[in-house]
Amino acid sequence: MNLTATPLSWNACLSALRLDRWMMGELGAADAETVGTHVSSCAACSAAVAGIRGVREEVRALPLPAALGRPAPRRRIPGAAVAGLGLALAASLVVVLRPPPAGERSKGGGLGLTMFVQHGEEVRRAAPGETVSAGDAVRFAVSTPTPAYVAVLSLDPTGKASVYFPQAPRAAQVPAGTEVPLPLGTRLDTTTGEERLLGIFCASPVELEPIRLGLEQGQDGIPLPADCQGLRWSFVKR
Amino acid sequence: MILDGAAIASLYRSHGHVVLRRARTLLGSEPDAREVLQEIFTALVRNPDAVRSAGSIVGWLYQATTHHCLNLLRKARTGARVLELHVRPGLSESGGPRGEAAAEVRRLLALLPEDVAAAVVYHHLDGMTHAEVAELLGCSRRQVGYLLERAQGLWDRAEQTA
């Protein structure tokens, strides 16, 4: 048998790796556009993408492995938003969420950034002014009327900026929807003071390091790439 | 950010299909493929740094899945040889020529050295270019070509002695 033609051989033009990376937002902007254009006009690659999506939906419906723990209880949270939340138990310090300062844009164009928090056994949607505990597990959800490339960054009280989402160098694509949960939860650390969140919504998978560096260098009104909009939150740990 | 159990659970939901789909192809067994899916993410709980240092999460999952599945294929072959039994086709495989041919590919993969088998998987089963294979194997494109030639030669010899 020739290895180039086996029953297990891949049948699409683009490799499985390239298609998987494209679907998970790991490709650069130019490459992602090339792949997207090709997939939309190629039956074999479209079929491959449909197959990948099918398995993705299967895994989302599977129970979590025992080692990853039970998903968080669905209390006071819309069912779609909490599916697979799986947050861990929390710790002790007090964090108070405040709305963005006057003059800062908080919401526009149907975009939204929401934070879900687990404290003890309870999971709830955090709101401006609500008390949450640092050390609590948190997970973000976004609202966008059209598919967008999204990232959530933060500037902690010590002036260190980090990227909460995604675990990749570029903004990751999320589908259109209301309070679409982002993968990868996190846990608030114990550093006291004000922490600022920046959620960006872009038309392309922009590089995140320049934005993160800008936050650290004190560019509070940091100019975002031309095809991005930003949402900001602030909260204070005390 | 802390890559804790909650974060890995989220990664399971968002990226688990990358493991399951390929494990199904490599192993031809749904129970075995699901076991690989569970084991890879359970291992991440023990060593979350493994993926944090990776340049590409998808790439890392490709490497982990391939390594895991090839080990399982080799163990199955060893067990069958000890018991003097033929390796059975996977539970999800249908019978007939196509099923037998698929089983032959898996038997070949179990025979090949790790790097040669991985090159075959990436190039023929995942449709990767030599450059993409080289990126995952950490070698040159020339080396990938050599590994694939070696694989075809070993396959031809295995067929002749069968």
Side-chain angles (χ1 to χ4, degrees):
Chain A
M1 179 189 300
N2 191 314
L3 283 173
T4 60
T6 79
L8 303 182
S9 296
W10 185 251
N11 290 322
C13 316
L14 301 179
S15 71
L17 176 69
R18 197 151 174 225
L19 290 175
D20 272 324
R21 280 185 169 160
W22 171 65
M23 293 175 71
M24 303 314 296
E26 285 191 3
L27 297 184
D31 201 13
E33 186 174 345
T34 299
V35 173
T37 301
H38 175 84
V39 169
S40 63
S41 62
C42 174
C45 290
S46 292
V49 168
I52 293 171
R53 284 202 180 113
V55 181
R56 186 169 64 182
E57 291 311 310
E58 281 186 66
V59 171
R60 284 177 175 169
L62 289 175
L64 288 173
L68 299 186
R70 291 181 300 116
R74 298 188 179 200
R75 291 186 227 166
R76 299 166 57 187
I77 298 290
V82 82
L85 199 58
L87 299 181
L89 290 179
S92 54
L93 290 183
V94 170
V95 173
V96 176
L97 275 175
R98 290 202 305 215
E104 286 240 5
R105 182 173 172 195
S106 61
K107 193 168 180 173
L111 304 176
L113 176 64
T114 311
M115 189 165 84
F116 292 95
V117 178
Q118 180 176 17
H119 179 77
E121 291 292 318
E122 184 183 3
V123 178
R124 63 185 190 278
R125 179 190 291 109
E130 183 173 349
T131 300
V132 299
S133 300
D136 282 349
V138 301
R139 185 172 175 189
F140 298 100
V142 295
S143 301
T144 170
T146 58
Y149 291 90
V150 169
V152 179
L153 299 89
S154 80
L155 183 67
D156 74 11
T158 69
K160 178 174 164 50
S162 58
V163 179
Y164 275 145
F165 171 84
Q167 282 263 307
R170 295 179 175 273
Q173 190 174 42
V174 298
T178 300
E179 293 189 340
V180 177
L182 300 180
L184 302 180
T186 187
R187 188 172 294 139
L188 298 175
D189 64 24
T190 59
T191 310
T192 57
E194 183 179 23
E195 179 156 345
R196 300 172 189 172
L197 293 175
L198 170 63
I200 63 168
F201 297 74
C202 308
S204 61
V206 299
E207 293 267 9
L208 297 177
E209 184 59 13
I211 302 174
R212 191 198 68 79
L213 277 174
L215 279 175
E216 272 191 357
Q217 290 162 4
Q219 299 174 26
D220 193 38
I222 178 174
L224 295 174
D227 65 352
C228 294
Q229 293 179 298
L231 297 180
R232 299 172 190 275
W233 278 41
S234 293
F235 55 89
V236 177
K237 300 175 198 178
R238 58 180 184 188
Chain B
M1 180 187 301
I2 301 169
L3 195 62
D4 59 9
I8 295 171
S10 295
L11 197 65
Y12 176 92
R13 291 275 183 241
S14 63
H15 288 68
H17 65 284
V18 174
V19 175
L20 182 62
R21 181 180 57 73
R22 296 183 68 246
R24 281 173 173 165
T25 300
L26 285 166
L27 301 176
S29 162
E30 184 64 20
D32 289 347
R34 293 221 182 167
E35 193 175 318
V36 169
L37 171 63
Q38 297 223 353
E39 286 179 4
I40 285 178
F41 282 89
T42 301
L44 265 184
V45 174
R46 292 193 295 268
N47 182 22
D49 286 341
V51 72
R52 283 179 71 83
S53 56
S56 156
I57 292 178
V58 170
W60 185 88
L61 288 172
Y62 265 64
Q63 292 166 324
T65 305
T66 302
H67 177 73
H68 217 99
C69 290
L70 289 177
N71 276 346
L72 285 177
L73 289 174
R74 281 190 283 268
K75 282 180 188 173
R77 175 176 174 268
T78 301
R81 193 170 63 232
V82 169
L83 294 170
E84 297 182 342
L85 292 173
H86 294 296
V87 175
R88 290 175 301 164
L91 294 177
S92 65
E93 285 184 270
S94 56
R98 185 176 170 82
E100 276 302 310
E104 278 298 308
V105 174
R106 295 185 181 105
R107 279 194 280 270
L108 169 70
L109 289 174
L111 285 172
L112 297 174
E114 170 89 21
D115 54 349
V116 177
V120 170
V121 168
Y122 292 144
H123 183 65
H124 292 295
L125 275 59
D126 291 316
M128 291 186 208
T129 62
H130 285 202
E132 289 174 317
V133 177
E135 180 191 339
L136 288 190
L137 292 182
C139 67
S140 66
R141 282 184 286 180
R142 181 191 294 263
Q143 177 68 6
V144 170
Y146 164 73
L147 291 172
L148 293 172
E149 280 179 24
R150 193 170 162 212
Q152 186 66 62
L154 289 168
W155 170 266
D156 292 340
R157 274 200 291 280
E159 282 195 312
Q160 285 166 8
T161 57

